[in-house]
Amino acid sequence: MAKVEKRANAGMTGEKYTEKCSELLRKIISAAYGAGEIMVNASPHDEDVMAKGGRANYVTVFDEKVQEFLLKELSRILPEAHFVGEEEGQEIFLPEYGKGFTFVVDPIDGTSNFMRDYELSVTSIALLKDGRPYIGVIYNPYADRIFYAEKGCGAFENGRQIFTSPDPLSHSLVSMGTAPYYADEITHSAFEIGNWYLKRSIDIRRSGSAAWDLCLIASGRTGLFYEPLLCLWDYAAGACILEEAGGTITDMHGEILAYRGKSSILAVTAGVAKEDYLPPVELMRE
Ligand code: 2AM
Ligand code: CA
């Protein structure tokens, strides 16, 4: 744990952070570093993979180990908070999660990448306050890059404040998620929309981790991200980081998010938000 704390302190040298942000955020960042250490030291083998319900939807023993670690750490940091983790299988958003504090955790976002040693997976921790994102922390242990934000304090990457890009869509990269675990029709629609955006942007990217895609847009690397269906733990932390970096996140119809569970996601930079960027309704099959 000493190494974990040293790294957390190293990331905290940005003046703006120390002036404005809380001890609570610093502790959650430490927990995310600890989760990342478990991920990078893991060697996922086939026998560690257990099928979760649905197509292309997996969980490894490491998803469960990281979640156990985070449950322990985060409960110590804020004992009164509720805890919703992907591997708990808690699909229903209970009314009490919308009051006070609730941690929403994806221990490993990008599990299909993780299982294949693709080295693009992250830990994603959101803290909701009265049902809205209040803190977001996302750590990519392979690149040793941590993104974090606290409501009203700005967003940061490894201690440096980040902002979305002012570029228009025509000068931006677009990243998409394919929702491969749902009906083929939804996936088909994702590609049709991708084709529509391809003609209006520089090119399309697909990382396999929605949380990571939200960090890329928050830090000005991409201009727009969409995925037809995501769970709350996939997008809650990223939403906090993106909004604090000046971006906008809605569902794919442009509606405000309720933060109650599954939703389509459409995220844009300050630059793209000035345009008519919503995909045509006839391409959507939600
Ligand atoms: P995961 O890697 O934690 O499972 C890839 O398209 C994105 O979708 C990833 O963020 C992935 O998260 C997420 N995802 C995987 N299975 C999902 C499901 N059944 N419902 C919603 N999102 C899912
Ligand atoms: Ca996961």
Side-chain angles (χ1 to χ4, degrees):
M1 192 53 69
K3 192 171 162 198
V4 168
E5 267 155 26
K6 202 168 120 223
R7 284 168 121 187
N9 289 330
M12 295 300 98
T13 49
E15 256 176 46
K16 287 204 170 88
Y17 171 82
T18 46
E19 274 170 23
K20 289 186 179 174
C21 288
S22 69
E23 185 63 14
L24 177 60
L25 173 58
R26 214 187 66 77
K27 287 180 180 168
I28 297 171
I29 288 170
S30 273
Y33 276 121
E37 291 222 345
I38 302 174
M39 282 165 71
V40 287
N41 290 320
S43 52
H45 299 299
D46 286 348
E47 63 266 30
D48 291 326
V49 178
M50 297 160 283
K52 204 155 64 171
R55 187 176 162 259
N57 198 3
Y58 300 100
V59 59
T60 71
V61 291
F62 296 102
D63 295 73
E64 290 173 349
K65 271 189 196 157
V66 175
Q67 178 155 311
E68 263 170 48
F69 169 83
L70 286 175
L71 174 60
K72 198 169 97 233
E73 291 297 306
L74 297 173
S75 309
R76 216 173 45 201
I77 293 169
L78 201 59
E80 70 268 35
H82 301 286
F83 185 93
V84 182
E86 173 166 20
E87 309 318 335
E88 300 257 282
Q90 180 54 276
E91 294 265 326
I92 297 161
F93 194 91
L94 302 174
E96 57 262 39
Y97 299 158
K99 295 191 192 98
F101 288 112
T102 300
F103 282 111
V104 180
V105 169
D106 191 347
I108 301 181
D109 189 55
T111 298
S112 297
N113 288 346
F114 177 77
M115 286 161 58
R116 287 162 183 80
D117 244 343
Y118 194 83
E119 302 205 340
L120 209 177
S121 308
V122 303
T123 278
S124 176
I125 305 170
L127 181 64
L128 306 184
K129 187 177 181 185
D130 295 330
R132 311 290 304 174
Y134 177 66
I135 283 178
V137 176
I138 294 175
Y139 182 46
N140 175 339
Y142 304 99
D144 195 17
R145 280 156 68 187
I146 190 140
F147 291 78
Y148 46 91
E150 181 169 357
K151 212 75 209 150
C153 299
F156 298 82
E157 174 185 353
N158 285 4
R160 180 182 62 86
Q161 190 162 13
I162 51 169
F163 300 95
T164 63
S165 164
D167 291 344
L169 187 57
S170 59
H171 288 70
S172 303
L173 290 171
V174 166
S175 64
M176 67 181 282
T178 55
Y181 26 76
Y182 294 115
D184 287 343
E185 218 185 314
I186 293 182
T187 301
H188 181 70
S189 154
F191 279 100
E192 281 187 314
I193 293 168
N195 201 29
W196 189 83
Y197 279 127
L198 178 62
K199 293 179 189 140
R200 290 160 178 79
S201 65
I202 291 180
D203 201 356
I204 303 289
R205 299 286 183 268
R206 197 290 192 259
S207 77
S209 161
W212 183 244
D213 284 321
L214 290 168
C215 293
L216 293 182
I217 183 170
S219 52
R221 285 149 172 131
T222 54
L224 183 147
F225 164 70
Y226 72 92
E227 180 144 10
L229 211 44
L230 285 171
C231 294
L232 184 57
W233 42 75
D234 298 320
Y235 64 82
C240 184
I241 294 166
L242 178 75
E243 288 191 330
E244 284 300 308
T248 303
I249 186 162
T250 61
D251 72 12
M252 285 176 64
H253 296 279
E255 300 293 331
I256 291 171
L257 298 177
Y259 294 103
R260 289 290 180 277
K262 283 185 185 173
S263 177
S264 65
I265 290 293
L266 179 56
V268 291
T269 57
V272 176
K274 293 181 189 146
E275 302 170 48
D276 193 6
Y277 60 82
L278 290 180
V281 202
E282 62 271 18
L283 296 185
M284 298 200 209
R285 314 264 197 284
E286 280 171 72

